[in-house]
Amino acid sequence: TQGSYLIFEKEGVYLHTNAKRSNQDTTIPGFIRVVERAGVPALEWSPLEDEGRSAPAVLYTKKVSNRGEEDTHFDPGYEPDWAVISTVKKDREHVPVRDSGAVLSSVSPAGQWSFSLPLSELYSLRRARFSLGRNFLVLTSRGGHPLPPLHFHRGGTRELFRALQRYIILDQSPVDGRLFLAYPCDSGALSQSFDKLQLLDEGGSDLVMRFIHDPYATTFGGFSKVTNFFRAALRPPDSQVYSRTAQDPSLPPQSDEEPGFELITCGVELGPRPDVTRGQPLDKWEEFLDPEGRVKNPEKVKELVFKGGVTPPLRKEVWKFLLGFYPWNSTAKEREDILRVKTDEYFRMKVQWKSVSEEQEMRNSLLRGYRSLIERDVSRTDRHNTFFSGNDNPGLTLLHDVLMTYCMYNFDLGYVQGMSDLLSPILFVTQNEVESFWCLTGFMELLHQNFEESQEAMKHQLIQLSILLKALDPELCDFLDSQDSGSLCFCFRWLLIWFKREFSFEDILILWEVLWTRLPCDNFHLLIACSILQSQRGELIGSDHDFNTILKHINELTMKLDLQSVLRGAEAIYQQLIQCKVKKDRHFFLRSFTYPYL
């Protein structure tokens, strides 16, 4: 049988656990090694306290259900789909290690963090330098699971790269010099460059790898970090994509010093961020109508709404145009006909669920489940608002009935938690059951994919948000990466229901009508998220925040954000991005804002 050999070893590599349990250290000193066992190369990390004793025989294995036989007691502080399982082989032999008198041999308490990742399972490696000067690596498996960040307090990343290149090819991204994809040396996979993967191109079917978790259940409990980095949407269409192979002398740097990771950028030169002012709300409506009631200049109306919102007395009418209930070019007479037809259609659908008997519903678990979810959510949606407060409030009945009818309108989607948050402001403004229903359907045309079981739209948006933030603020991204927060999981609720729970009820009315204009781009809500995150960079960078305290800080921003400041920041970011240039003065084209995210 083949033996086990040590190819590379480096001390002073700290694993940052960000564990939930307060009695655990969040940084553990240890060794990083490249080891070949039975001809299979692997990258391993073990804690310093295990040296001189027996090292754990750690398996890198896929988690199975509770009925399976895998040991699932390992708790990294979150619940990944792939985990490093601390399973000890009972009959493991002690094997000598090449160039070392040490013997790899048992488990210590800190050994639960040890891992062994076969290089064939290594998908990507991202290297960066934290603002305080520490270099760190984030490794991601082909299953999508990122390991906790490894901080190299004593250098050694260049030597590690050299050792890895004995077995795999590391293909550097042409737009993010910190990211490398791993390919087997003999697979020919290197020819599949970032350009050929089409991960962010329009119409790409495999836009993102699957997320690790069900975000609905775990968004605010403990999301694992997803560090699958993709070809940036910031690359202009005419730029030349090329692959750097391991033979390129610039990869990695061949000097004795650690590479200056903080100097590597994605190739976009951002100019100054302009000052932006907000306007006054739309307060005149009749002057935009022709004698037959058509809106004469819809684009002008949208521009005014984007810059300042709508005054409360006009919302009931303007929202019906913004949400597609009424076409912009419809006459007053045509709108009367539309309302009559839509009213009949609504009540036909409402009768469908109202006429289901209790006995029938007992045999319809899907409808029964929708009703149960709706009744639970209605009882706790915006109860502070007088329109929904108190017991036996007519507003609650309307909220319930509209949501139940929506289940009949879109039975494939049905009801998903969060949809009551989308309806309540619409119902408050229209105070009409039929109009609120059709306005909700218009809103759901924009957001329905957020609620679909595959969650592809949510994955896509979080990836786009990560790309944008990386271009706008690499230092903030590096800090979040170093604290296992680079997946931006704490933004999930923001994007899911368009910041409904982050701002006051009145602010949400303004924010949503601004977003419904679809100006200045389809993805303006992502720039709002960037604006909020950048407003918090001073609080985050240079602090002692870890994953849990970052999550806590972001959650505590609820009802503390100034909407007008956030909107000014988001619009300024947009202006900055559309005016920026790539190196060699080629104009920059922001592809991810040209096409809708859905």
Side-chain angles (χ1 to χ4, degrees):
T1 59
Q2 294 178 284
S4 297
Y5 304 100
L6 178 67
I7 308 302
F8 169 81
E9 182 179 65
K10 181 67 180 179
E11 188 182 355
V13 179
Y14 284 67
L15 184 143
H16 284 226
T17 67
N18 289 322
K20 294 177 182 176
R21 296 185 292 272
S22 59
N23 63 343
Q24 286 188 332
D25 293 331
T26 59
T27 59
I28 304 175
F31 286 80
I32 191 74
R33 297 184 178 92
V34 177
V35 176
E36 184 178 323
R37 290 198 175 91
V40 178
L43 185 64
E44 300 184 347
W45 182 90
S46 60
L48 183 63
E49 66 182 65
D50 275 358
E51 300 308 309
R53 295 199 298 266
S54 296
V58 181
L59 303 178
Y60 190 84
T61 181
K62 192 179 190 304
K63 290 175 68 176
V64 297
S65 66
N66 294 334
R67 296 185 299 270
E69 298 178 357
E70 293 289 346
D71 182 353
T72 57
H73 295 302
F74 172 77
D75 178 10
Y78 47 76
E79 283 296 324
D81 189 36
W82 284 77
V84 181
I85 309 299
S86 295
T87 305
V88 181
K89 294 180 180 178
K90 297 179 180 179
D91 301 324
R92 180 176 176 182
E93 296 179 358
H94 292 189
V95 287
V97 181
R98 187 198 307 176
D99 300 327
S100 173
V103 173
L104 295 181
S105 46
S106 111
V107 149
S108 70
Q112 66 169 321
W113 293 102
S114 301
F115 68 79
S116 177
L117 175 65
L119 295 188
S120 62
E121 290 299 316
L122 178 62
Y123 172 73
S124 68
L125 185 153
R126 186 170 188 259
R127 62 182 189 180
R129 175 173 289 175
F130 182 46
S131 57
L132 299 179
R134 291 196 303 261
N135 302 310
F136 68 92
L137 298 179
V138 177
L139 311 172
T140 304
S141 78
R142 295 199 178 277
H145 168 241
L147 280 72
L150 297 174
H151 289 243
F152 287 69
H153 289 205
R154 302 179 188 176
T157 54
R158 178 175 61 86
E159 293 82 0
L160 175 61
F161 268 53
R162 282 180 176 172
L164 293 174
Q165 287 170 8
R166 295 180 56 171
Y167 302 98
I168 57 176
I169 292 173
L170 296 174
D171 184 25
Q172 186 176 26
S173 165
V175 291
D176 185 352
R178 297 170 291 186
L179 173 67
F180 298 84
L181 289 185
Y183 299 104
C185 288
D186 59 351
S187 69
L190 185 59
S191 62
Q192 297 182 7
S193 65
F194 269 59
D195 193 41
K196 293 179 182 177
L197 290 177
Q198 298 181 340
L199 290 173
L200 283 178
D201 280 348
E202 183 187 17
S205 60
D206 55 344
L207 183 64
V208 290
M209 294 183 65
R210 60 185 178 82
F211 253 21
I212 308 307
H213 301 290
D214 175 1
Y216 294 106
T218 60
T219 298
F220 304 105
F223 232 74
S224 73
K225 184 173 180 294
V226 178
T227 50
N228 298 315
F229 291 94
F230 302 92
R231 181 176 56 116
L234 302 174
R235 179 176 63 80
D238 61 339
S239 66
Q240 188 69 29
V241 176
Y242 61 95
S243 296
R244 293 187 186 180
T245 68
Q247 286 72 37
D248 188 326
S250 65
L251 172 61
Q254 297 300 309
S255 63
D256 291 335
E257 294 81 15
E258 284 294 308
F261 301 128
E262 74 279 3
L263 300 178
I264 300 175
T265 69
C266 65
V268 175
E269 296 176 352
L270 293 177
R273 188 168 296 179
D275 292 329
V276 170
T277 58
R278 300 283 298 158
Q280 295 299 313
L282 176 69
D283 59 357
K284 293 180 176 62
W285 181 244
E286 294 298 327
E287 67 182 40
F288 287 99
L289 304 179
D290 70 10
E292 292 184 317
R294 296 183 186 89
V295 179
K296 293 182 291 188
N297 193 342
E299 296 309 313
K300 180 63 177 178
V301 172
K302 292 177 185 178
E303 289 175 11
L304 292 173
V305 174
F306 172 75
K307 293 297 289 187
V310 183
T311 55
L314 295 183
R315 278 188 178 132
K316 178 179 172 64
E317 188 67 16
V318 177
W319 279 24
K320 287 181 278 189
F321 288 88
L322 291 172
L323 289 170
F325 181 43
Y326 292 148
W328 290 95
N329 62 350
S330 60
T331 65
K333 176 64 170 62
E334 289 170 340
R335 291 195 287 273
E336 291 177 3
D337 294 338
I338 289 172
L339 180 59
R340 183 172 57 256
V341 171
K342 291 296 187 181
T343 299
D344 291 343
E345 187 176 351
Y346 172 79
F347 282 106
R348 281 199 303 270
M349 290 185 290
K350 183 175 181 178
V351 166
Q352 291 175 2
W353 65 266
K354 291 283 282 186
S355 61
V356 174
S357 66
E358 291 186 11
E359 185 178 356
Q360 284 179 297
E361 190 167 315
M362 288 300 295
R363 294 190 295 271
N364 190 331
S365 60
L366 194 57
L367 181 62
R368 192 168 64 249
Y370 289 155
R371 187 192 296 272
S372 175
L373 285 173
I374 290 171
E375 290 175 351
R376 183 185 65 184
D377 285 356
V378 162
S379 67
R380 59 189 185 185
T381 299
D382 292 325
R383 298 303 299 274
H384 61 281
N385 188 296
T386 55
F387 191 77
F388 303 106
S389 63
N391 297 323
D392 301 321
N393 190 312
L396 296 179
T397 302
L398 290 178
L399 194 63
H400 171 274
D401 288 359
V402 171
L403 291 171
M404 284 296 298
T405 306
Y406 185 83
C407 290
M408 309 310 297
Y409 172 80
N410 188 350
F411 210 88
D412 286 342
L413 179 62
Y415 178 81
V416 180
Q417 186 177 8
M419 289 168 59
S420 62
D421 283 288
L422 303 184
L423 173 60
S424 61
I426 296 174
L427 186 57
F428 171 79
V429 167
T430 64
Q431 302 201 11
N432 180 283
E433 182 176 2
V434 173
E435 292 177 353
S436 66
F437 172 82
W438 291 111
C439 286
L440 174 65
T441 63
F443 197 3
M444 288 299 294
E445 284 297 310
L446 300 177
L447 294 187
H448 73 93
Q449 293 192 44
N450 285 7
F451 296 92
E452 291 182 352
E453 187 175 359
S454 69
Q455 300 166 5
E456 290 299 315
M458 292 302 301
K459 303 167 195 176
H460 189 174
Q461 291 173 80
L462 285 169
I463 292 296
Q464 286 186 315
L465 180 57
S466 176
I467 290 170
L468 285 170
L469 191 62
K470 205 176 304 174
L472 294 167
D473 201 332
E475 185 183 15
L476 179 57
C477 274
D478 283 349
F479 170 78
L480 294 174
D481 274 340
S482 72
Q483 301 304 319
D484 206 24
S485 301
S487 65
L488 305 181
C489 63
F490 42 77
C491 300
F492 184 89
R493 185 176 70 185
W494 298 0
L495 307 183
L496 178 70
I497 52 175
W498 274 14
F499 309 94
K500 169 61 163 57
R501 300 184 186 177
E502 319 313 318
F503 293 95
S504 69
F505 195 87
E506 178 57 36
D507 279 349
I508 281 298
L509 304 183
I510 299 171
L511 174 59
W512 283 2
E513 60 199 12
V514 167
L515 290 173
W516 290 335
T517 67
R518 313 304 281 161
L519 296 176
C521 57
D522 288 321
N523 284 334
F524 191 64
H525 64 294
L526 298 182
L527 298 188
I528 290 174
C530 287
S531 177
I532 295 174
L533 290 172
Q534 287 202 287
S535 73
Q536 300 302 308
R537 75 185 312 275
E539 170 66 26
L540 296 174
I541 296 180
S543 68
D544 58 354
H545 284 303
D546 59 13
F547 174 87
N548 293 306
T549 57
I550 289 173
L551 187 63
K552 181 174 183 290
H553 175 76
I554 296 297
N555 282 341
E556 289 176 349
L557 295 177
T558 299
M559 305 301 163
K560 297 178 182 178
L561 296 167
D562 179 71
L563 176 63
Q564 295 302 321
S565 176
V566 169
L567 288 172
R568 285 194 299 270
E571 187 178 357
I573 290 171
Y574 175 80
Q575 296 296 333
Q576 181 186 28
L577 287 173
I578 63 172
Q579 294 171 18
C580 79
K581 297 181 179 182
V582 296
K583 292 178 179 179
K584 300 182 180 180
D585 291 328
R586 284 196 295 263
H587 282 284
F588 167 66
F589 180 71
L590 191 57
R591 178 178 296 180
S592 65
F593 288 153
T594 303
Y595 304 108
Y597 66 89
L598 296 178

